[in-house]
Amino acid sequence: MNRRKFLGSLGVAVPAVALYHYLDLKPEPTLSYISNPKLAYDRIPSGWKGTPLRSDGTFQNLFHPFEASLTEVLKWKLKGNPQAEEKKKDNRRLEVQKIDQFKPNGNDQIIWLGHASYLIHIGGVTLLTDPVWLENWILKRYSDLPIDPETLEGIDYILISHDHRDHCDEATLKLLGKTLPQAQILTGLKMSDLLQPWMPKNKIQEAGWFQSYDLKESLRITFVPSRHWSRRGLLDTNQRLWGGYYIESGEKSLYFMSDSGYGPHFQMIGDTLGAPDYAMMGVGAFKPEWFMHPVHTSPMDAVKAFQEMRGKNFIPMHFGTFDLSDELLLEPLDWLTENQDAVGGNLIYPVLGKNLI
């Protein structure tokens, strides 16, 4: 059932004829490079050409192109989880602090709402990342949502990193489209066709990697590469761009990883945009590592990536809310707390609903 939930969350109807996992390929020689001509580049890596697009019109990672492999999916499904019995007995859950009403009062805040969803107030601007709050047939929450979604107001931007269902939930976005029609959507290239019907009143900006969105405020938000993929159904693999966000105000810089496997892009982001003051790093859905490493970082790889970015404060995410893989829900946090010296910066203990700054 856990594997069913995971595959379903990636946009797959299970069981299905084509279940996909992605493995490394040699780079395709016929690549083109695209961007949004309406958006600017502020800082780019040396030799940057744009976001790579394959000759079939699908997007490609910078360093680790992927190939679909049903064999690898079936190998994972049939092999069994060595921690299955341990997971059945495990009842530990994330700590939650309830929020009656969000009132920033001018203070910068990073509030974890579960999985990859954050409520962020920085430089006088309020953001939401990857809001997935309403249960469906694929995703069951194992941590309480610390705030009533219908009480949220004053949200300026909603950041949607990619189209997978544990980051981009139709029901949640339809709700926010009704309650927050003034909020702008900041996302990747070719995401509008998916999102606009759910949120018809919300303005959408699409960016390529390393492009900065057109914002009225002094805040700068840049869409940055990740090692991942995209799909909602069976026929739209990698047709929409995926990525993370680098957020800068006059005083602070934040990095939101979203979903990513480990790769050289982490150091590229740090070298290009600077060392982030706060880095929200994915650490869960990493087992079995032979299967998950192209798309998710383990706690160990997340720490390595954080060090390569020269990050200052490490905020773990992408664990404890949805059961998507073989490890225990809080296993990533256990490793981090037991190996704090390895982090190379300040490990911020994650509590849902608490300001982590």
Side-chain angles (χ1 to χ4, degrees), residues 338-357:
E338 292 167 4
N339 295 275
Q340 292 192 45
D341 292 342
V343 173
N346 179 43
L347 173 64
I348 297 180
Y349 191 88
V351 176
L352 296 181
K354 179 183 178 180
N355 182 15
L356 301 179
I357 292 181

Side-chain angles (χ1 to χ4, degrees), residues 105-141:
N105 295 324
N107 297 319
D108 289 346
Q109 298 189 51
I110 300 175
I111 299 173
W112 192 27
L113 302 178
H115 200 56
S117 182
Y118 285 90
L119 176 58
I120 299 171
H121 186 79
I122 180 171
V125 180
T126 305
L127 319 171
L128 287 175
T129 69
D130 288 356
V132 180
W133 301 335
L134 305 178
E135 288 190 7
N136 54 48
W137 68 273
I138 293 171
L139 297 172
K140 175 185 176 182
R141 288 189 70 99

Side-chain angles (χ1 to χ4, degrees), residues 18 20 33-34 50 62 65 79 85 107 123 142 144 163 171 176 197 208 213 233 236-237 271 283 289 317 348:
Y20 290 88
Y33 298 89
I34 68 170
L62 294 179
K79 192 172 183 180
E85 289 301 317
N107 297 319
Y142 288 84
D144 292 336
D163 66 8
L176 295 179
Y213 297 96
D236 59 351
T237 301
D271 289 346
V283 298
E289 290 189 63
M317 68 170 186
I348 297 180

Side-chain angles (χ1 to χ4, degrees), residues 44-59:
I44 55 175
S46 176
W48 182 254
K49 298 178 181 180
T51 301
L53 192 71
R54 295 162 60 107
S55 57
D56 62 1
T58 61
F59 293 103

